[in-house]
Amino acid sequence: MTAISLGPSPARRDALTRRIRLLVAATITYNAIEAAVAITAGTLASSTALVGFGLDSVIEVSSAAAVAWQFSAREHAVREAREKTTLRIIAASFFALAAYVTVDAVRALAGTGEAERSLPGIALAALSLAVMPFLSAAQRRAGRELGSASAVADSKQTLLCTYLSAALLAGLLLNATLGWTWADPIAALVIAATAVKEGRDAWQGKGCCAPAAHPVDDVRGGTPAADSCRCGHGCSCGS
């Protein structure tokens, strides 16, 4: 006979919910500031990459706001009911980001405009590259333990912003030092493809990776019982 301990306890679930709310609030605040700085700096430097990065931050805010709306409900049942709508909003944000980045990258490769050097843009990209991985990892861990596919999907949106930060930083540095204007749009196309994949996963509800039960010894065979995914979307908890 196998003993099974279900899920996080109600107290732990409430603690994880509060943590996600705080992380989402921090994400919204940072990205709102990031959007304002990037769009302003990009306009002054005629940099489509910087303006695009700022618009990505706007999309990031919309994604985080959707998760904030879901977790604003006090009752767990209401939060569960809002999960599908939240995932649709996050998926749409990924697709919109992919579309914009693709169009912007193609325009850049076609030689539409030449960006000037932007020191504020370089500083912003470097700061985002340092901050975003920590926000993403913290929210992903909490979302997986709670079994919230939307929180995990939003953490992937934040992680994608990290990749965009790296591509932007490389592009701005190469443009400022070597005059290589093609490096950033090439990296942007790779990011756009990643955004499409993450958007598809969010739409399908993949990625929560929260165990339904803690593994315990099976008294018949002496081996741990296998974990299963609690979210019901068939995701792989090993990823």
Side-chain angles (χ1 to χ4, degrees), residues 48-217:
T48 55
L50 260 177
V51 172
F53 184 74
L55 292 177
D56 164 68
S57 299
V58 174
I59 294 175
E60 182 78 16
V61 169
S62 71
S63 173
V67 177
W69 167 73
Q70 179 192 350
F71 282 89
S72 65
R74 292 186 178 276
E75 296 81 10
H76 178 65
V78 176
R79 293 196 299 269
E80 288 290 313
R82 291 179 176 180
E83 179 96 347
K84 185 174 181 179
T85 300
T86 303
L87 283 169
R88 293 292 189 263
I89 294 172
I90 292 173
S93 297
F94 272 120
F95 294 143
L97 172 59
Y100 178 85
V101 168
T102 299
V103 172
D104 188 59
V106 171
R107 288 180 58 193
L109 287 171
T112 305
E114 292 187 2
E116 300 175 4
R117 184 179 65 171
S118 176
L119 294 180
I122 292 173
L124 177 66
L127 179 62
S128 296
L129 191 57
V131 171
M132 288 300 174
F134 293 102
L135 285 176
S136 175
Q139 186 173 334
R140 184 168 61 255
R141 284 195 299 269
R144 283 181 173 176
E145 185 175 350
L146 187 61
S148 171
S150 62
V152 174
D154 185 58
S155 76
K156 290 184 177 182
Q157 177 86 290
T158 304
L159 186 61
L160 183 64
C161 187
T162 303
Y163 301 149
L164 278 172
S165 300
L168 176 66
L169 182 60
L172 292 176
L173 286 174
L174 290 172
N175 186 34
T177 58
L178 301 175
W180 292 359
T181 58
W182 49 264
D184 181 55
I186 292 296
L189 289 174
V190 175
I191 293 169
T194 304
V196 170
K197 176 185 179 300
E198 298 298 350
R200 186 178 65 250
D201 287 349
W203 190 271
Q204 295 172 352
K206 294 180 180 179
C208 62
C209 296
H214 301 294
V216 292
D217 286 345

Side-chain angles (χ1 to χ4, degrees), residues 15-73:
L16 290 168
T17 298
R18 288 192 298 269
R19 183 182 303 174
I20 290 174
R21 286 174 182 161
L22 288 173
L23 290 168
V24 167
T27 300
I28 290 174
T29 300
Y30 182 84
N31 277 280
I33 297 172
E34 183 180 70
V37 174
I39 292 174
T40 301
T43 301
L44 292 175
S46 299
S47 171
T48 55
L50 260 177
V51 172
F53 184 74
L55 292 177
D56 164 68
S57 299
V58 174
I59 294 175
E60 182 78 16
V61 169
S62 71
S63 173
V67 177
W69 167 73
Q70 179 192 350
F71 282 89
S72 65

